[in-house]
Amino acid sequence: MTSTASRPLSLLDLARVREHESIAQGIGRSLRLAQTADALGYRRIWFAEHHNMPAVASSATALLIQHIAAGTQNVRVGAGGIMLPNHSPLIIAEQFGTLETLFPGRIDLGLGRAPGTDGVTTRALRRDGTEADRFPEDIMELSGYLTGHTRIPGVHAYPGRSTRVPLYILGSSLYGAQLAAQLGVPYAFASHFAPQMLEQAAHTYRENFQSTGSLQGPDARPHFIAAANVIAHDDAAIAAGQRREAEDGWIRTMLGRNKTLSTEDVTQLRDHPAGQQVLGMLSKTVAGTQDEVVSWLDTFADQVSADELILVNLAPDEDVQHRTLELLAPEPGGA
């Protein structure tokens, strides 16, 4: 048994803020985890755009990326993703062009089509929900700004022009797979919380990938990234306990809106259809010892022919999160 997975490993961090914790403390924890990942050789760390969620501190995604990139040395830092319908392509090109100028060769730009929030908050963002219909056109406009081939004569991104920040499409359905294949760009599937269409999306993406006319250029090749939740520890019982605690937290978040669920409530909900549905969202989760987790990750990657795995560090306790990173470290000496 090897000590690390056979695919490159990256991280998705939601910059979570725990109960009775300040937002600054939550961001500080994300920075410490990023510094550990940087030292251990992880490929990239992405942050996701969400709005009006008290437990998630990544709403101003470009600012958080800047903070993490400034506190690390080698790891790529990016958006997983920017919800493009919430923004004008020019603004995103300027923001990520600035990041690429400050941290050359270290910035990624993943793009999603969902609003990253609820309908009321979408209206507060001055959006009416129809913006998603322009997603493909907005990606093309954004790519034009970043490559220096603007699609609007006389309009350029400064900074941003010719920075060629790499684009990724994110999704949890066949739509994203088809679009990423059509555009000839990498595709990341959100199987860490929406695993239902994973295998079909992976197949659709590879079968339909078009290198001709790719936004990456004529040498483009398909690159499929699959997401999974992980907890690794020297003690399998601790890993299992952390998984149980994390699952209970998801049940509280998903089913306890506008009310407080007791421990007994959560226990009962685990066997209720609603609770089972929530736990089903987390079916692509592994918790265990180093050998157990590495074996599961390799099997998971083989099933969908993943080129890369992006991991959500699901452990509630920070020391277990750091130990997870150490045990799964891509480079020798991390365990």
Side-chain angles (χ1 to χ4, degrees):
M1 174 65 66
T2 59
S3 62
T4 188
S6 60
R7 268 60 163 197
L9 297 180
S10 299
L11 302 173
L12 174 64
D13 189 334
L14 300 181
R16 291 201 174 275
V17 180
R18 299 170 180 164
E19 191 176 2
H20 308 305
E21 179 181 61
S22 71
I23 291 176
Q25 288 173 318
I27 291 174
R29 187 174 60 256
S30 286
L31 176 59
R32 291 190 294 273
L33 286 167
Q35 289 169 336
T36 293
D38 187 33
L40 293 173
Y42 286 82
R43 175 171 286 189
R44 65 184 99 244
I45 301 170
W46 283 356
F47 295 89
E49 177 186 347
H50 293 284
H51 299 281
N52 196 29
M53 296 183 181
V56 177
S58 53
S59 55
T61 316
L63 290 176
L64 185 58
I65 290 169
Q66 189 276 335
H67 180 63
I68 300 299
T72 52
Q73 297 295 322
N74 301 303
V75 67
R76 298 187 66 87
V77 189
I82 289 292
M83 302 296 106
L84 192 55
N86 294 340
H87 312 275
S88 78
L90 178 60
I91 290 294
I92 297 304
E94 291 170 343
Q95 290 178 356
F96 280 78
T98 299
L99 288 168
E100 176 64 24
T101 301
L102 294 172
F103 308 100
R106 293 184 57 205
I107 302 300
D108 295 331
L109 177 49
L111 300 169
R113 182 170 172 260
T117 190
D118 56 76
V120 174
T121 309
T122 297
R123 291 192 289 275
L125 291 167
R126 302 299 187 265
R127 299 293 183 262
D128 62 16
T130 63
E131 293 80 11
D133 297 338
R134 300 196 307 266
F135 188 51
E137 292 80 8
D138 283 352
I139 292 173
M140 297 299 291
E141 182 181 337
L142 173 60
S143 176
Y145 293 133
L146 294 172
T147 59
H149 301 291
T150 181
R151 292 175 172 264
I152 302 180
V155 178
H156 302 277
Y158 301 113
R161 186 179 185 184
S162 300
T163 54
R164 298 188 176 275
V165 177
L167 300 181
Y168 299 75
I169 302 298
L170 315 180
S172 58
S173 69
L174 295 185
Y175 174 87
Q178 292 165 343
L179 180 60
Q182 177 186 341
L183 299 177
V185 298
Y187 181 54
F189 193 89
S191 39
H192 62 295
F193 76 93
Q196 293 81 2
M197 302 293 291
L198 171 62
E199 293 187 17
Q200 191 174 353
H203 177 77
T204 296
Y205 171 67
R206 291 194 177 278
E207 285 294 307
N208 296 282
F209 188 87
Q210 298 180 21
S211 56
T212 302
S214 165
L215 298 185
Q216 296 183 93
D219 297 327
R221 296 290 182 272
H223 187 83
F224 183 73
I225 304 173
N229 303 293
V230 296
I231 302 171
H233 199 273
D234 307 275
D235 187 331
I238 290 177
Q242 288 280 288
R243 177 174 184 167
R244 173 82 182 214
E245 187 177 337
E247 291 174 344
D248 288 350
W250 266 73
I251 289 174
R252 283 193 169 90
T253 298
M254 301 297 294
L255 304 180
R257 294 174 182 174
N258 303 318
K259 58 184 175 182
T260 301
L261 296 178
S262 68
T263 301
E264 183 179 353
D265 291 335
V266 173
T267 300
Q268 292 177 349
L269 281 168
R270 291 181 69 94
D271 296 321
H272 188 276
Q276 286 293 301
Q277 184 176 7
V278 172
L279 294 178
M281 296 170 65
L282 301 177
S283 63
K284 300 306 181 185
T285 299
V286 58
T289 63
Q290 181 186 57
D291 287 350
E292 291 170 337
V293 174
V294 168
S295 176
W296 187 96
L297 290 175
D298 281 344
T299 299
F300 171 62
D302 289 342
Q303 287 173 345
V304 294
S305 299
D307 300 291
E308 180 179 342
L309 298 177
I310 190 161
L311 311 179
V312 177
N313 204 331
L314 200 63
D317 291 353
E318 184 175 353
D319 60 339
V320 180
Q321 290 180 333
H322 283 273
R323 189 59 183 149
T324 293
L325 295 182
E326 292 166 356
L327 289 170
L328 303 181
E331 292 185 347

